[in-house]
């Protein structure tokens, strides 16, 4: 039986996330993996989660096990809205929904907004999970390079001038995935101004923003939004734990109205137990202190990895210097394909994310790669970076 | 700012699930709701879940909190595959994935298979969540009436003969939602034969199949599938609890290959803690005894509600007599619109699901309605059916 003629066009050419594939490949082996995308697992509040959940089940019984409403568990929405307020997110025209991770939030926005052939401006490089989601609605991706202070806004304007099919600009403005770079306040304002001028939306994805370990906070793009042009996505994946799959989405009620219907047919609602657990954790524990502690660890590990890069990498490799988050972006001399180096590295028991997987065109070779510093121990960072440095030296 | 020109065509005319809206309306009030769609909540293993989860978190720590693979938690997949085998599900060409409820399984299939304008044959009546999912991909719904022994297979063949755009037949063959009717073994074989003849797929949705309280098991359609034509969906929502959002999908590996990519961009993976919890529950407790007990309660409540219908409903109302599951379907004389009666009922503090919400054309009046007998106490069944009977009498 031929299955190929049964598939929808939107998915036939879609490729599995290379990062997820790398994850499967190195997950069970003795490879030192810098390919991860989560904060230090030893900081996840496993014990607290266990106790909270037991209590919820004992005291609430079936309350946490029946169907919930699609918008989310009301007490958790309240907490999210309160926290959002502190960073200027959530205007009088906005609503908030709890999602099954930030990934679902991105995907719901894609489904609610993107017709086939609609354009999305994305950062080059960007987060593969979002790029793939947009691709899965047959959107056209327009990529714009990320500079030291974030996306090149002049290029964004050029693209918007030339292409009237662009629905929104997708940006991770703070401690960007994969570069760790933060979009400057000037460029944030500029981006919103351009979006207004060409009547397009902005999708502001901010899963890492709370993990700052140096420098001053930069206002969210959403905080300047006075008309519902910015769709804001946040997550508990990086501040609590990724496996619980709890994120959120705040946007104009007219968009939310469609997002809710799309979520309804997608998974009805986000697991009630997980929503209640997050809610109770924040009520019973000092969440901000927890985040502060996690950020401090991120900072220490980041500093260590940068130090190792200086020590072990060839001098010609440029490495970013983020103020927060969990990623470093490394740029090798032009002409080198880190996809090739990746295979060699895995042989030597060390892994990173090849740059091409983070690009709109995943088939073009890339001279860059992403490193995560939070999921492995300090000893393994030192060990892995030394191995990695040795391999890199063979290629420059 | 005008949002309407920003929305994707696929969602502009999509309506929120009326059932979810009813749920919100009656959820917090003193209405006796027969509009639910879950087994008796007092049977949900809340205490056991709490203990299991505490143990998982204490012993496994971060293991249950990191990212999991998209396909699902391997030990749970193993359990599902083992259970599937007993009902003929899972051939050598098949693979199984854990989904965020059966709703997500349906939605992933829709996204992976349906181009705009593709057709889906659906039962009339059918499950609104699935209908809405297909609508959200701009599919064309072709509805075929459910007879006493299930969908009219002659009509299915006629439609397939006339319409070459039909991708799959969507059926809930056992204790169907909303009718409670079971597709006969003859019609199951016939359906697969027709699907082969016209080269279309079958999506077999079986969330209620394990909740049998009388009669003999009927083989799954999937058990006759020798080439990967049947996509099978199951769930723990009705056997454990719906709020945990754990379901599964078993289908040909070539379809699965696309489904996995679609799930990856949708929510990365189903909450790991919930997958582990379900897995441990089945390992540590007697799951089959639990299902048997739940089915028995379903049967008792079903009998009580049918008895009440005989006692309180006008004689002209036809009520189905299911062998399992959680729903009764009631048919009033032609010309009556149960949408109108619904509003009157809510005033009188009793709720059901109006028939039109279960139809491909939700705008056409329906003389039918759905009753759930499992979520309210026996006393409330008696009380609510009496009120309902009184209202119905005003309309016949």
């Amino acid at each position: 039986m031929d299955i190929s003629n049964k598939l929808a066009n939107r998915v036939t050419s879609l490729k599995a996330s290379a990062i997820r594939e790398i994850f499967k490949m190195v997950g069970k082996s003795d490879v030192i993996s810098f390919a991860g995308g989560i904060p230090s697992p030893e900081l996840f509040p496993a014990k607290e989660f266990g106790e909270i959940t037991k209590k919820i089940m004992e005291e609430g019984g079936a309350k946490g096990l029946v169907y919930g409403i699609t918008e989310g568990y009301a007490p958790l929405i309240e907490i999210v809205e309160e926290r959002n307020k502190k960073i200027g997110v959530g205007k009088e025209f906005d609503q908030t929904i709890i999602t099954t991770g930030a990934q679902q939030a991105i995907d719901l926005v894609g489904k609610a907004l993107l017709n086939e052939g609609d354009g999305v401006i994305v950062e080059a490089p960007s987060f593969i999970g979002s790029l793939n989601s947009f691709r899965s609605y047959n959107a056209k991706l327009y990529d714009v390079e990320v500079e030291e202070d974030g996306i090149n806004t002049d290029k964004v304007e050029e693209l918007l001038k030339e292409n009237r099919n662009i629905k929104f600009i997708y940006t991770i403005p703070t401690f960007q995935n994969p570069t760790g770079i933060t979009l400057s306040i000037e460029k944030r304002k500029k981006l919103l101004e351009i979006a207004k001028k060409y009547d397009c939306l902005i999708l502001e994805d901010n899963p890492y923003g709370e993990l700052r370990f140096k420098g001053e906070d930069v206002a969210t793009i959403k905080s300047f939004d006075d008309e519902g042009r910015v769709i804001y996505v946040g997550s508990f994946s990086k501040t609590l734990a990724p496996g619980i799959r709890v994120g959120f989405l705040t946007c104009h009620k007219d968009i939310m109205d469609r997002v809710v219907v799309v979520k309804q047919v997608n998974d009805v609602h986000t697991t009630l137990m997980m929503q209640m657990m997050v809610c109770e954790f924040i009520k019973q524990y000092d969440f901000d202190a927890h985040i502060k502690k996690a950020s401090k660890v991120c900072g220490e590990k980041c500093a260590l990895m940068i130090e190792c890069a200086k020590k072990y990498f060839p001098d010609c490799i440029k490495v970013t210097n983020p103020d927060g988050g969990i990623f470093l972006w490394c740029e090798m001399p032009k002409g080198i394909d880190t996809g090739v180096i990746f295979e060699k590295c895995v042989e030597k028991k060390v892994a990173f994310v090849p740059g091409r997987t983070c690009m709109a065109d995943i088939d073009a070779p890339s001279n860059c790669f992403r490193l995560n510093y939070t999921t492995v121990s300090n000893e393994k960072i030192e060990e892995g970076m030394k191995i990695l440095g040795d391999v890199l030296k063979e290629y420059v």
Side-chain angles (χ1 to χ4, degrees), chain A residues 30-35 304-314 317 328 330 341-342 344-352 369-373 375-393:
Chain A
D30 52 349
V31 170
I32 298 175
S33 176
F34 300 138
L304 173 63
M305 189 173 262
I306 288 178
E307 198 190 300
C308 289
K310 280 183 188 147
K311 200 156 38 166
Y312 301 120
F313 282 14
I317 298 182
L328 289 183
C330 307
I341 302 180
F342 172 75
K344 179 82 180 186
C345 282
V346 171
E347 271 174 40
K348 300 275 181 187
K349 306 287 181 198
V350 62
F352 57 74
F369 59 91
R370 186 188 84 176
L371 293 178
N372 164 265
Y373 41 79
T375 44
V376 290
S377 68
N378 291 353
E379 292 68 39
K380 292 282 177 191
I381 288 180
E382 183 91 32
E383 190 187 333
M385 287 294 279
K386 190 169 180 318
I387 300 171
L388 183 53
D390 287 342
V391 178
L392 295 177
K393 278 173 195 154

Side-chain angles (χ1 to χ4, degrees), chain A residues 29-234:
Chain A
S29 71
D30 52 349
V31 170
I32 298 175
S33 176
F34 300 138
I38 60 173
S40 307
E42 65 272 18
L43 294 178
F44 297 162
K47 200 167 156 284
E48 292 86 340
F49 280 168
E51 272 160 21
I52 289 169
T53 312
K54 183 162 185 276
K55 219 171 156 196
I56 290 171
M57 288 292 102
E58 268 174 12
E59 290 172 8
K63 262 186 212 166
L65 296 172
V66 294
Y67 280 120
I69 65 167
T70 302
E71 287 81 348
Y73 181 56
L76 180 59
I77 295 179
E78 225 172 274
I79 284 174
V80 167
E81 286 179 337
E82 219 169 275
R83 294 184 66 83
N84 271 349
K85 233 184 249 168
K86 293 179 196 164
I87 50 169
V89 173
K91 313 285 179 164
E92 66 287 355
F93 45 72
D94 284 329
Q95 282 174 359
T96 294
I97 187 175
I98 307 297
T99 58
T100 306
Q103 178 73 46
Q104 189 192 40
I106 302 285
D107 197 47
L108 296 177
V109 170
K111 185 165 175 186
L113 300 184
L114 294 171
N115 288 317
E116 295 205 2
D118 276 354
V120 180
I121 292 181
V122 300
E123 292 161 329
S126 184
F127 169 50
I128 187 170
S130 300
L131 299 182
N132 266 349
S133 170
F134 306 147
R135 287 180 183 117
S136 80
Y137 297 105
N138 272 348
K140 185 166 165 43
L141 303 182
Y142 297 90
D143 57 330
V144 176
E145 60 172 326
V146 172
E147 303 170 313
E148 273 179 34
D149 56 349
I151 193 168
N152 182 329
T153 45
D154 293 336
K155 290 265 174 65
V156 170
E157 179 153 16
E158 267 172 47
L159 281 171
L160 284 171
K161 204 183 287 180
E162 285 163 22
N163 302 280
R164 304 306 298 175
N165 64 328
I166 294 170
K167 269 273 170 73
F168 58 84
I169 304 160
Y170 171 67
T171 175
I172 308 166
T174 307
F175 319 138
Q176 201 241 12
N177 179 359
T179 61
I181 284 172
T182 296
L183 187 67
S184 69
I185 187 78
E186 295 74 26
K187 280 190 168 178
R188 287 175 193 232
K189 288 178 183 167
K190 180 78 183 166
L191 209 59
L192 185 56
E193 192 189 302
I194 300 169
K196 269 193 193 190
K197 188 168 165 191
Y198 295 93
D199 190 24
C200 93
L201 302 170
I202 293 176
L203 176 51
E204 180 176 19
D205 185 10
N206 191 20
Y208 314 103
E210 291 168 292
L211 295 176
R212 176 177 290 279
F213 45 76
K214 60 179 167 145
E216 290 299 311
D217 280 345
V218 184
T220 57
I221 306 174
K222 182 73 186 168
S223 68
F224 303 112
D225 177 25
D226 55 6
E227 51 172 355
R229 200 168 285 284
V230 181
I231 300 167
Y232 183 87
V233 172

Side-chain angles (χ1 to χ4, degrees), chain A residues 293-355:
Chain A
K293 191 175 156 193
S295 306
K296 191 167 165 274
V297 173
C298 290
E300 287 162 5
K301 284 178 175 284
C302 178
L304 173 63
M305 189 173 262
I306 288 178
E307 198 190 300
C308 289
K310 280 183 188 147
K311 200 156 38 166
Y312 301 120
F313 282 14
D315 287 340
C316 59
I317 298 182
K318 275 197 279 183
V319 179
T320 53
N321 182 15
D323 290 339
I326 59 178
F327 299 120
L328 289 183
W329 184 247
C330 307
E331 192 183 336
M332 299 187 74
K334 286 212 160 47
I336 291 175
D337 181 3
T338 56
V340 174
I341 302 180
F342 172 75
E343 287 172 28
K344 179 82 180 186
C345 282
V346 171
E347 271 174 40
K348 300 275 181 187
K349 306 287 181 198
V350 62
F352 57 74
V353 172

Side-chain angles (χ1 to χ4, degrees), chain A residues 234-249:
Chain A
S235 178
F236 291 101
S237 284
K238 316 301 171 188
T239 52
L240 284 175
I244 60 175
R245 312 305 305 125
V246 183
F248 58 90
L249 172 65

Side-chain angles (χ1 to χ4, degrees), chain A residues 260-278:
Chain A
V260 169
V261 180
V262 173
K263 179 164 169 68
Q264 220 168 60
V265 302
N266 183 200
D267 67 358
V268 191
H269 63 83
T270 296
T271 309
L272 210 46
M273 273 175 77
M274 292 298 102
Q275 295 189 67
M276 292 168 103
M277 189 182 77
V278 170

